[in-house]
């Protein structure tokens, strides 16, 4: 059984068929990439999996469980974490607090205990901090721990978002263009981190990325989409060599259809 | 510049990382507690009033400053607190039961109305809360047997374990009671903001979509925040009732809601300290205006009292000024001044320049 199974997924916004019959499955421990030209529907697939959008058609199964009917806030608890293409951090909080917000699914105290700051609250806070410090160490964010997000460079913010997703302690992580806007060195860091996530943390990675160098370096399989429809599935080399994929990137409409 | 060496996670979790900050709070509390021996009755009553406003302001701060929910209806929660407390005490209940129940009643009411309102935000939420306020005002007039209707009702004198805390008969005791309650609520508020609950409020304020993807139930979080907000403001209302003594629905006008919004925005949105600074300003302003008016009258012979609305105008100018020039409020200004001194002479001109925050849709891809 695959960890994530997407079956005949579709979502239509009025007349726009943003995703139109996409099926794929991601195996446990795999790095799976989705590529495609702008507006192909890649981010929309992520939004469907994280239940921000309601599919018009199709099912999504995670670890054998149908999650198509779940609420967006139920997804993290199952062990699915994500980042956003346009960075959605909590701008007025510190890096540490942003990462601690990623521990929300692990909280066991309620607001009354929190207000009274009972010993159980402090015990839990220590545990959350231990987890978060591991993430900070992993992503080398020590220098930014106490800094507020606003004012931090773009590249650092992208890494913090990955950190916040990792703080959840997920089984599956969805990365929406983790390398966009990053320098060559920063992109290389991302590549190493993705490999470490898979090898050391046992994570499954589903990523959307335009940087074919990064995709070829880290991913086991690649799915190419265009106009909401799947074009090709295979290794990075196979997909890049695909006639339909090349046509889609060159913008020939009949080949993409 | 002070550097805090952290040797354990506990240092981070503590409310104050540095012993000096803890000492400052202790000194402040000691001075506040000694106030009855330092000032006369007039200023002591003013201090109690300021503390009550700070309490009500903290309530609104939870919603507006920390969860991003604007409310024009918080006068309704003040009213619910005041009438519940006075009603229960008039029915024979002691203060120590009536007071928490008043907060609970306001809080539950706030949470219940928040559930349908959570989908609204910004100006729409402000209008919805305004509607709630109008309904509560009408209810107060209609429920005459309990509220005294248009005629009003009296908040009985407080006594605990045989000791009088009467606002007039034992003003010092009343002041200490208010101070104790405010200190306790402030402590609870500060605890909240260093806990998962407080962080979930901030998460919902800054990015709902992110909050959801981290497993935060946005509806429940907003309702909880609004409920806590209404509850704390309700406690403030109960004390306000005792402070005024005899009141009717007119005490809780829309202007009180607006003044509370002034407290939190001028004080500094998102800072507990802001509620206190804002309360000092709001309760101190009328005094300052009165003194100014007398001075102008004495020196020039122009009687400003003949110009009605001058207070309102000064408030408005102040609010607009803050929104334009100092959106982080008095507390934000204070932080900047403090940083300037701490790192003197290294301050740069552009250090506090506001960073351009892109609308989410405008952010670079
Ligand atoms: N909420 C929405 N309402 C209407 N249309 C939408 C919505 N979300 C996405 N779309 C449309 O769906 C299509 C796919 O968008 P999507 O963001 O998934 O593209 P993408 O593959 O991520 O592109 P990019 O590489 O530019 O990020 C676009 O035409 C977009 O305008
Ligand atoms: Mg996209």
């Amino acid at each position: 059984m695959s960890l994530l199974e997407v079956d005949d997924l579709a979502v239509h916004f009025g007349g726009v068929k943003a995703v139109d019959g996409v099926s794929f499955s991601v195996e446990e421990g795999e790095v799976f990439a989705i590529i495609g030209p702008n507006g192909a529907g890649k981010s929309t697939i992520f939004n469907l999996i994280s239940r921000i959008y309601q599919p018009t058609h199709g099912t999504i199964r995670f670890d054998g469980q149908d999650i198509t009917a779940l609420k967006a806030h139920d997804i993290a608890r199952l062990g699915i974490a994500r980042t956003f293409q346009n960075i959605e951090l909590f701008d007025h909080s510190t890096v540490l607090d942003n990462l601690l917000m990623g521990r929300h699914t692990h909280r066991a105290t309620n607001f009354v205990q929190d207000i009274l700051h009972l010993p159980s609250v402090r015990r839990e806070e220590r545990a959350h901090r231990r987890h978060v410090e591991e993430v900070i160490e992993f992503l080398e964010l020590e220098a930014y721990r106490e800094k507020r997000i606003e004012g931090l460079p773009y590249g650092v913010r992208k890494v913090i978002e990955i950190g916040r997703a990792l703080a959840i302690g997920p089984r599956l992580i969805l990365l929406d263009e983790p390398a966009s806007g990053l320098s060559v060195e920063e992109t290389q860091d991302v590549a190493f981190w993705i490999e470490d996530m898979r090898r050391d943390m046992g994570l499954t990675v589903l990523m959307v990325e335009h940087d074919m160098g990064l995709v070829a370096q880290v991913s086991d399989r690649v799915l190419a989409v265009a106009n909401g429809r799947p074009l090709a599935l295979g290794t990075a080399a196979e997909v890049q060599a695909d006639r339909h994929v090349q046509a889609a990137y060159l913008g020939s409409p009949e080949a993409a259809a | 510049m002070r550097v805090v060496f952290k040797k354990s996670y506990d240092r981070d979790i503590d409310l104050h990382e540095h012993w000096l900050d803890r000492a400052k709070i202790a000194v402040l509390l000691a001075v506040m507690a000694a106030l009855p021996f330092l000032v006369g009755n007039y200023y002591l009553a003013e201090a109690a009033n300021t503390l009550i406003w700070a309490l009500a302001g903290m309530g609104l701060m939870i919603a507006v400053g920390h969860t991003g929910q604007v409310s024009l209806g918080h006068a309704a929660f003040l009213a619910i607190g005041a009438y519940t407390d006075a009603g229960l005490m008039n029915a024979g209940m002691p203060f120590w039961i009536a007071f928490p129940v008043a907060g609970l009643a306001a809080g539950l009411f706030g949470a219940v109305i928040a559930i349908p309102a959570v989908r609204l935000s910004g100006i729409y939420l402000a209008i919805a809360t305004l509607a709630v306020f109008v309904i509560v005002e009408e209810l107060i007039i209609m429920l005459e047997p309990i509220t005294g209707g248009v005629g009003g009702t009296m908040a009985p004198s407080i006594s605990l374990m045989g000791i009088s805390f009467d606002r007039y008969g034992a003003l010092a005791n009343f002041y200490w009671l208010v101070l104790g309650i405010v200190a306790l609520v402030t402590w609870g508020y500060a605890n909240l903001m260093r806990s998962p609950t407080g962080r979930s409020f901030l998460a919902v304020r800054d990015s709902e979509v992110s909050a959801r993807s981290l497993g935060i139930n946005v509806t429940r979080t907003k309702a909880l925040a609004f409920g806590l907000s209404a509850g704390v403001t309700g406690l403030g209302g109960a004390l306000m009732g005792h402070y005024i003594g005899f009141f009717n629905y007119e005490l809780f006008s829309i202007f009180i809601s607006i003044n509370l919004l002034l407290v939190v925005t001028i004080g500094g949105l998102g800072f507990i300290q802001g509620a206190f600074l804002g309360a000092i300003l709001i309760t101190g302003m009328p005094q300052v205006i009165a003194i100014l008016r007398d001075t102008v009258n004495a020196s020039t012979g122009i009687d400003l009292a003949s110009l009605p609305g001058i207070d309102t105008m000064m408030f408005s100018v102040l609010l607009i000024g803050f929104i334009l020039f100092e959106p982080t409020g008095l507390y934000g200004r204070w932080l900047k001044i403090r940083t300037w001194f701490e790192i003197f002479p290294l301050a740069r001109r552009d250090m506090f320049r506001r960073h351009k925050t892109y609308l989410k849709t405008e952010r670079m891809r």
Side-chain angles (χ1 to χ4, degrees):
Chain A
M1 183 184 59
S2 311
L3 186 63
L4 181 76
E5 293 168 277
V6 171
D7 186 33
D8 199 18
L9 198 61
V11 66
H12 302 169
F13 300 108
V16 181
K17 295 182 175 176
V19 174
D20 194 22
V22 171
S23 305
F24 61 92
S25 53
V26 182
E27 306 303 322
E28 181 121 40
E30 188 177 25
V31 176
F32 191 101
I34 301 177
I35 63 164
N38 289 116
K42 306 179 296 292
S43 297
T44 307
I45 294 174
F46 273 22
N47 287 338
L48 287 166
I49 295 172
S50 49
R51 305 296 306 110
I52 294 169
Y53 291 161
Q54 182 61 32
T56 316
H57 189 264
T59 56
I60 306 160
R61 301 174 76 78
F62 179 72
D63 202 17
Q65 182 192 352
D66 188 348
I67 64 167
T68 324
L70 292 185
K71 292 260 179 352
H73 58 250
D74 296 324
I75 296 302
R77 195 158 285 107
L78 299 176
I80 303 178
R82 71 166 293 179
T83 66
F84 294 86
Q85 186 173 352
N86 301 324
I87 306 188
E88 288 279 348
L89 286 168
F90 307 115
D91 284 353
H92 304 289
S93 298
T94 63
V95 172
L96 183 65
D97 278 336
N98 267 269
L99 298 183
L100 283 170
M101 287 167 187
R103 299 296 299 166
H104 187 85
T105 50
H106 299 274
R107 66 178 292 193
T109 56
N110 61 35
F111 75 94
V112 179
Q113 294 167 304
D114 282 353
I115 288 172
L116 300 174
H117 197 69
L118 297 184
S120 56
V121 175
R122 184 168 281 260
R123 225 172 16 245
E124 262 201 50
E125 278 297 292
R126 281 193 208 120
H128 290 327
R129 267 153 220 269
R130 261 193 304 279
H131 280 278
V132 161
E133 286 302 327
E134 281 169 17
V135 173
I136 288 177
E137 201 182 331
F138 174 61
L139 297 174
E140 292 161 16
L141 285 169
E142 290 90 348
Y144 306 102
R145 188 189 281 112
E146 313 282 333
K147 297 245 167 39
R148 275 151 54 106
I149 301 297
E150 49 181 5
L152 287 182
Y154 184 79
V156 177
R157 294 193 209 194
K158 281 220 94 110
V159 178
I160 296 165
E161 231 197 9
I162 296 176
R164 189 179 64 182
L166 287 177
I168 294 178
R171 293 176 66 191
L172 172 69
I173 186 166
L174 314 179
L175 304 172
D176 198 346
E177 303 199 10
S180 77
L182 298 191
S183 68
V184 180
E185 293 79 21
E186 287 169 330
T187 305
Q188 202 47 51
D189 283 341
V190 170
F192 288 138
W193 285 327
I194 290 175
E195 277 167 4
D196 285 349
M197 281 179 213
R198 185 235 304 260
R199 201 183 48 236
D200 300 342
M201 304 181 183
L203 277 182
T204 306
V205 181
L206 175 60
M207 95 175 158
V208 165
E209 186 49 64
H210 282 296
D211 184 334
M212 278 314 288
L214 177 64
V215 170
Q217 188 182 346
V218 300
S219 44
D220 301 306
R221 285 190 301 153
V222 178
L223 172 73
V225 290
N227 297 325
R229 301 195 53 81
L231 289 181
L233 177 66
T235 64
E238 285 164 12
V239 169
Q240 268 179 299
D242 188 277
R243 194 169 53 81
H244 296 293
V245 175
Q246 288 175 351
Y249 272 94
L250 292 174
S252 154
E254 62 278 309
Chain B
M1 201 172 162
R2 241 168 33 205
V3 179
V4 179
F5 290 102
K6 293 172 188 163
K7 299 200 188 71
S8 76
Y9 297 142
D10 285 285
R11 287 306 282 281
D12 254 349
I13 302 169
D14 287 342
L15 282 178
H16 300 284
E17 285 170 6
H18 200 272
W19 66 268
L20 207 64
D21 292 319
R22 244 166 292 170
K24 273 189 220 155
I25 296 284
V27 169
L28 184 67
L29 263 177
V31 171
M32 294 290 285
L35 210 60
F37 307 112
L38 304 174
V39 301
N41 273 356
Y42 176 78
Y43 284 106
L44 193 59
E46 278 305 313
N49 188 31
T50 304
L51 284 173
I52 292 169
W53 270 87
L55 180 59
M58 278 196 281
L60 188 61
M61 187 67 88
I62 299 172
V64 183
H66 283 130
T67 328
Q69 307 185 89
V70 185
S71 166
L72 270 176
H74 262 54
F77 306 123
L78 278 177
I80 292 172
Y83 279 106
T84 309
D85 177 81
L88 288 176
M89 284 183 78
N90 281 326
M93 282 217 198
F95 176 77
W96 67 269
I97 296 180
F99 181 67
V101 171
L104 217 58
L108 282 177
F109 183 75
V112 168
I113 64 152
I115 292 166
V118 284
R119 285 183 203 289
L120 307 174
S121 60
I123 189 77
Y124 301 102
L125 182 61
I127 292 169
T129 51
L130 186 60
V132 169
F133 163 74
V134 174
I135 293 167
V136 168
E137 195 178 32
E138 287 301 320
L139 277 177
I140 290 169
I141 298 171
M142 272 159 52
L143 292 173
E144 183 161 1
I146 306 166
T147 63
V150 181
T153 191
M154 202 191 71
S157 171
I158 303 168
S159 98
L160 294 166
M161 295 179 297
I163 303 165
S164 169
F165 289 84
D166 188 74
R167 181 240 183 279
Y168 293 100
L171 180 60
N173 285 355
F174 179 75
Y175 169 81
W176 279 320
L177 179 70
V178 171
L179 180 63
I181 290 167
V182 171
L184 212 60
V185 171
T186 310
W187 176 75
Y189 193 173
N191 283 342
L192 185 77
M193 293 321 295
R194 60 170 158 164
S195 74
T197 309
R199 286 195 293 267
S200 69
F201 290 0
L202 298 181
V204 165
R205 180 190 69 185
D206 288 347
S207 172
E208 280 191 25
V209 64
S210 275
R212 279 208 189 88
S213 77
L214 298 179
I216 296 170
N217 182 334
V218 172
T219 308
R220 204 190 297 158
T221 304
K222 280 187 171 181
L224 174 64
F226 207 78
L228 285 174
S229 166
V232 171
T233 300
L235 293 179
L239 290 180
M240 203 175 274
H242 287 288
Y243 179 79
I244 304 283
F246 191 90
F247 57 90
N248 72 356
Y249 72 97
E250 284 176 347
L251 174 63
F252 309 103
S253 67
I254 176 70
F255 294 106
I256 296 285
S257 281
I258 293 173
N259 276 355
L260 270 181
L261 266 181
L262 284 177
V263 166
V264 295
T265 39
I266 294 180
L269 282 176
F271 302 105
I272 300 176
Q273 296 91 328
F276 285 86
L277 293 178
I280 292 170
L281 194 88
I282 285 285
T283 53
M285 269 288 270
Q287 321 282 341
V288 175
I289 291 174
I291 294 169
L292 271 179
R293 185 181 287 155
D294 290 346
T295 322
V296 170
N297 198 3
S299 57
T300 65
I302 302 168
D303 185 12
L304 289 176
S306 61
L307 293 173
I310 189 122
D311 300 18
T312 319
M313 201 185 83
M314 284 188 70
F315 273 136
S316 321
V317 169
L318 207 65
L319 178 65
I320 293 168
F322 265 97
I323 288 171
L324 284 182
F325 301 112
E326 195 58 274
T328 52
L330 286 172
Y331 192 72
R333 170 51 48 190
W334 155 244
L335 286 184
K336 288 175 199 173
I337 295 170
R338 197 179 66 184
T339 312
W340 193 88
F341 276 107
E342 272 178 3
I343 64 173
F344 183 83
L346 300 175
R348 283 174 290 118
R349 270 201 105 210
D350 63 347
M351 212 164 58
F352 303 113
R353 200 188 50 209
R354 262 173 282 148
H355 292 279
K356 183 173 166 138
T357 37
Y358 297 91
L359 282 177
K360 304 272 170 189
T361 48
E362 288 174 354
R363 287 186 180 175
M364 63 186 287
R365 295 211 149 215

